Amino acid sequence: MPTDVIFRSATEKDVPAIVALLADDMIGAGREGESGRYLAAFRDVDADPRNHLVVAEIDGEVAGTLQITYIPGLSRMGAERAQIEAVRVASAHRSRGLGREMITWAVDQAKQRGCGLVQLTSDKRRSDAIRFYESLGFEPTHEGLKLQL
């Protein structure tokens, strides 16, 4: 397991590394690319107090990323929930425990904030990722649906 991981808020300088992580798999390769929209999107996320875009840094290198979105709601007696999305680990750091450390860190952030639930989604084609999340205690309790616009 990594011992010298620094979790920090992403900065504009991290955007190219984050985009590279998002594109570094079979699904992301088909939907990520060159675009002037990434920097604007980063600024939108960064300005929103309910969003936290995070990088996991090892030896000065962005080795992983994830985004936590805190969602208020009336269900569950008005409890806020944390949505974890866009979890990626650089190929050179996979299978070394970094993903586990990242998710554990994100869940701890949600607990500290007082969230009543942590949720995430994973594309059904990412069977290894789904097994990984289940090994961390996440349960496939709902069926997710999406509509591409």
Side-chain angles (χ1 to χ4, degrees), residues 84-147:
I84 301 172
E85 286 292 331
V87 179
R88 299 292 192 283
V89 173
S91 57
H93 295 279
R94 291 182 191 148
S95 300
R96 297 181 179 180
L98 178 58
R100 183 171 298 275
E101 193 168 339
M102 289 170 53
I103 297 298
T104 299
W105 181 88
V107 169
D108 286 345
Q109 296 299 300
K111 286 178 184 174
Q112 290 174 23
R113 189 173 167 114
C115 292
L117 177 74
V118 176
Q119 62 190 28
L120 54 79
T121 61
S122 187
D123 192 292
K124 289 181 179 185
R125 294 172 287 177
R126 290 189 169 114
S127 56
D128 289 343
I130 292 168
R131 278 192 298 279
F132 165 70
Y133 294 129
E134 288 175 342
S135 79
L136 293 170
F138 287 86
E139 298 175 6
T141 59
H142 291 69
E143 188 73 22
L145 302 141
K146 295 188 179 192
L147 176 63

Side-chain angles (χ1 to χ4, degrees), residues 4-20:
D4 297 329
V5 179
I6 297 170
F7 293 101
R8 63 173 175 77
S9 296
T11 67
E12 283 192 21
K13 290 185 345 186
D14 296 317
V15 171
I18 294 169
V19 172

Side-chain angles (χ1 to χ4, degrees), residues 7-108:
F7 293 101
R8 63 173 175 77
S9 296
T11 67
E12 283 192 21
K13 290 185 345 186
D14 296 317
V15 171
I18 294 169
V19 172
L21 288 173
L22 294 173
D24 186 26
D25 73 7
M26 65 177 187
I27 298 168
R31 66 179 179 208
E32 306 300 339
E34 297 294 321
S35 168
R37 179 75 184 116
Y38 288 114
L39 195 53
F42 169 81
R43 290 176 179 150
D44 288 344
V45 170
D46 194 48
D48 185 340
R50 292 196 179 275
N51 276 287
H52 192 191
L53 183 59
V54 176
V55 294
E57 187 177 278
I58 299 176
D59 296 329
E61 172 193 353
V62 174
T65 187
L66 60 79
Q67 181 174 337
I68 309 171
T69 301
Y70 298 103
I71 306 168
L74 295 180
S75 67
R76 298 180 178 265
M77 298 188 296
E80 188 174 59
R81 64 184 63 204
Q83 173 84 23
I84 301 172
E85 286 292 331
V87 179
R88 299 292 192 283
V89 173
S91 57
H93 295 279
R94 291 182 191 148
S95 300
R96 297 181 179 180
L98 178 58
R100 183 171 298 275
E101 193 168 339
M102 289 170 53
I103 297 298
T104 299
W105 181 88
V107 169
D108 286 345

